[in-house]
Each structure stands twice: as structure tokens, then as C-alpha cells.
Amino acid sequence: HNLFKENIHMKIIDLLHQRPTLSFEIFPPKKHDGDISSIYSTIDELSKLKPDFISVTYGAGGSTTENTVEIASKIKNEYGIEAVAHLSCIDATPEQLIRIIDSLKANNIENILALRGDYPKGYDPINAPHYYKYASELNEFISKNYPDTFCLSGACYPEVHQDAVSLEKDLQALKKKVDAGAKYLITQIFFDNNYYYRLVREARIRGINVPIIAGIMPATNSKSLLNIAKLSGCNIPYNLSASIERFKNNPQAMKEVGMNYATNQIIDLITNGVDGIHLYTMNKPEIVHEILKRTNNILAEFKND
């Protein structure tokens, strides 16, 4: 790697103003010995696909916070690809946040996905720090302490956040997030594109005008798919669920089902003018390669929109 690539500063929003983006999400490997080196072969493979940015998820409870910073820094400074670091605030103190944000800044990272975050294991609602309840408060904190330093983004929920009582309330919370500084949004996974179109339509009516990138997860493993669907409260449409039942004991067939399904979702989204595609890679570059191979010409045209 050319270590001293001139550091191109790029806020993701500047790119989104020019054209739709294609991006990937990876997570720090959960190794008990703390060894995260296995992620670098994943990044090697993903970087060949020339994504616009790669986002790195955040370990709850600060366990892998340093890893998130280290991996994001490598993506940006060694691979020369824009990195987006996830940052969650649910059990953080201002001091902890400042330490992490300073370290992101020192590593040239200008893009942060600000999240409330999941309650960590063994979260004690009584004794846990209670500085920030919502991602919008994290946005305010960063904007106040680091004016004009970072391009902030947020998560959104095509099928309504589990803690929200209604779509209406969820959209109000989303508007707060955007008003507090989120320049673009990335959706949670969904398998029915109609939920994405509904979200965009309703968001626009309410004056949420930032780009909304579609988060797509190839459903290549039936067990993990059902878990994730439960956790994120997302619907599995009949045709996908029928295929899962039919092929769940045949991992190779399941892979094909998931890749074809994701490919069709992406083609439909691009046809209908999506702002960007964000692939939840599950650290499996070979699946991403395969999907991009199947949509090669479509993506080429998409990026020139």
C-alpha cells in the first residue's frame, strides 16, 4: 500500500451531492484474543471493488471502540478509501466521546455515523451513564464541540424503529436527527423495497430532504437471516421466506437465493432513483463481488447518474 497517499479530504455529503454512492459496511472481528488482523484481507478484497466509502461498526460498551478507530484509519490512510466510523452514545460519558472523536480527527477521519446504539449486555439502566438518550443529542454534542469538522450521518428505519409507537413518531425523531446535523441517512436492512419508498416519500413530505441511502443485506444464511430479522424487526416477504424454507439445509443454494434476492432489490432501487446503495457485507467480500458482478453495467450507469 502506498502509505502516504495525499490525504484527500472528502465529506460523504459532498459526494452525494454529485451522484449516488455505492458503499460497504464491515464490523471489527469479535476475537477473544483481541486480534483483528483477519479484517484486513476482507478490506483488501472490498477495496478492489472501488466503493465510495466503507463504514465500520462500533462495539457496544467500548469493547472494540479502539478497533473501530484503528480499522477506519487503515481504510482511509492506507487504502485511500473514505471511511465512516460508527459512534454510539447510549452508555458513553462526554469524556469518553471526546477521547474517541479526538482520535478519529487525529486519524483524518471526517465522517461519523452517529447512533444511539444498542443497550450493551448487562446494561444497568439505573447506574449507567445517562448523558445521551438519542442520536440527535450525539449530533448536537459533536457539532457544538467540533464545528465544521465532521460530516455526520444517521440511521433510519423503513419499517419503523422498534421503540417508536408509530411511523409518525419515528419520522419526528428522524427530523430531529437531521435538524441536529445528520447530512444523510442510511437505512436499516429491509427486504421489501416498498418500505424504503414509503420512508422516502413520507420523509420528504415532512421536510427531511437529505439523501437516504438504502442499506441492503444479502440473505445468504438462513439462520443468521432469521435472527437479524427478529432483532431489527424487519419483514421477510413471502417469496424470500418460501425460498429459505425450501433451501435452508443447502448452504450453497441459500447463497444463490440471497445473492439473487439482493441483486433484484438493488436493480429495482436503482431503477427508481435511490440516493445510494450501502451493502451490509457481514465481512464476506466474495458475496459482494458476486452481486456487483451481476449488476456491473447497472452500477456503472448508476454512478454516472
Side-chain angles (χ1 to χ4, degrees):
H1 298 299
N2 169 5
L3 258 172
F4 298 102
K5 285 208 172 83
E6 61 289 7
N7 284 310
I8 336 147
H9 286 292
M10 178 54 98
K11 294 196 157 94
I12 304 302
I13 188 60
D14 297 338
L15 192 53
L16 281 163
H17 283 327
Q18 296 163 26
R19 58 172 176 76
T21 54
L22 171 69
S23 53
F24 306 143
E25 179 164 302
I26 58 175
F27 53 83
K30 297 177 180 59
K31 287 271 170 36
H32 296 303
D33 56 1
D35 177 22
I36 57 166
S37 55
S38 65
I39 195 71
Y40 295 116
S41 60
T42 303
I43 301 171
D44 275 336
E45 285 307 309
L46 290 174
S47 66
K48 292 175 187 161
L49 298 167
K50 306 257 186 297
D52 293 308
F53 62 90
I54 296 178
S55 75
V56 187
T57 67
Y58 184 81
S63 55
T64 57
T65 313
E66 289 76 24
N67 295 348
T68 303
V69 176
E70 180 187 326
I71 294 166
S73 169
K74 275 241 167 62
I75 291 170
K76 166 93 188 192
N77 301 310
E78 291 187 23
Y79 290 87
I81 294 170
E82 211 43 68
V84 175
H86 290 214
L87 182 59
S88 78
C89 62
I90 190 64
D91 61 339
T93 63
E95 296 72 39
Q96 283 169 324
L97 287 176
I98 293 265
R99 204 174 61 236
I100 298 159
I101 299 167
D102 280 347
S103 140
L104 289 171
K105 193 177 162 186
N107 282 288
N108 249 334
I109 292 155
E110 299 175 275
N111 297 286
I112 293 176
L113 179 63
L115 302 157
R116 181 198 73 179
D118 301 322
Y119 295 106
K121 269 202 179 65
Y123 180 78
D124 170 1
I126 294 154
N127 298 316
H130 280 285
Y131 293 95
Y132 314 98
K133 268 208 187 101
Y134 306 106
S136 53
E137 296 170 341
L138 177 56
N139 284 345
E140 281 162 3
F141 176 83
I142 299 173
S143 305
K144 200 180 105 199
N145 290 288
Y146 299 86
D148 302 328
T149 309
F150 295 99
C151 169
L152 302 175
S153 53
C156 59
Y157 302 85
E159 293 173 62
V160 182
H161 192 288
Q162 278 116 313
D163 298 347
V165 284
S166 64
L167 177 64
E168 185 54 52
K169 284 273 183 273
D170 202 21
L171 287 160
Q172 286 169 10
L174 194 58
K175 179 124 177 48
K176 254 200 194 124
K177 214 182 260 194
V178 170
D179 292 345
K183 296 279 190 277
Y184 65 97
L185 301 165
I186 299 180
T187 75
Q188 273 293 15
I189 61 169
F190 57 90
F191 294 107
D192 177 344
N193 287 0
N194 287 315
Y195 286 112
Y196 171 82
Y197 300 133
R198 175 186 72 169
L199 172 73
V200 172
R201 186 177 63 240
E202 298 301 325
R204 300 301 180 232
I205 290 170
R206 289 162 182 77
I208 299 170
N209 294 316
V210 299
I212 299 177
I213 294 175
I216 297 294
M217 194 189 86
T220 52
N221 173 322
S222 60
K223 235 204 205 89
S224 70
L225 167 67
L226 297 170
N227 276 340
I228 287 165
K230 247 200 218 85
L231 284 174
S232 62
C234 96
N235 249 305
I236 299 180
Y238 171 75
N239 55 346
L240 178 57
S241 116
S243 306
I244 292 170
E245 280 317 309
R246 172 77 175 77
F247 300 111
K248 63 175 184 230
N249 299 321
N250 178 341
Q252 289 318 101
M254 248 324 283
K255 244 189 194 153
E256 287 173 356
V257 165
M259 288 192 290
N260 282 319
Y261 196 89
T263 301
N264 288 329
Q265 266 191 289
I266 289 168
I267 293 171
D268 179 71
L269 287 160
I270 290 176
T271 301
N272 288 289
V274 71
D275 292 324
I277 300 282
H278 186 65
L279 279 169
Y280 293 106
T281 70
M282 309 309 284
N283 295 0
K284 295 198 175 97
E286 65 286 356
I287 287 168
V288 180
H289 265 273
E290 191 54 49
I291 290 172
L292 297 198
K293 204 161 75 192
R294 294 174 190 200
T295 47
N296 199 351
N297 298 300
I298 292 167
L299 284 165
E301 181 167 318
F302 173 60
K303 283 182 140 193
N304 293 319
D305 272 359

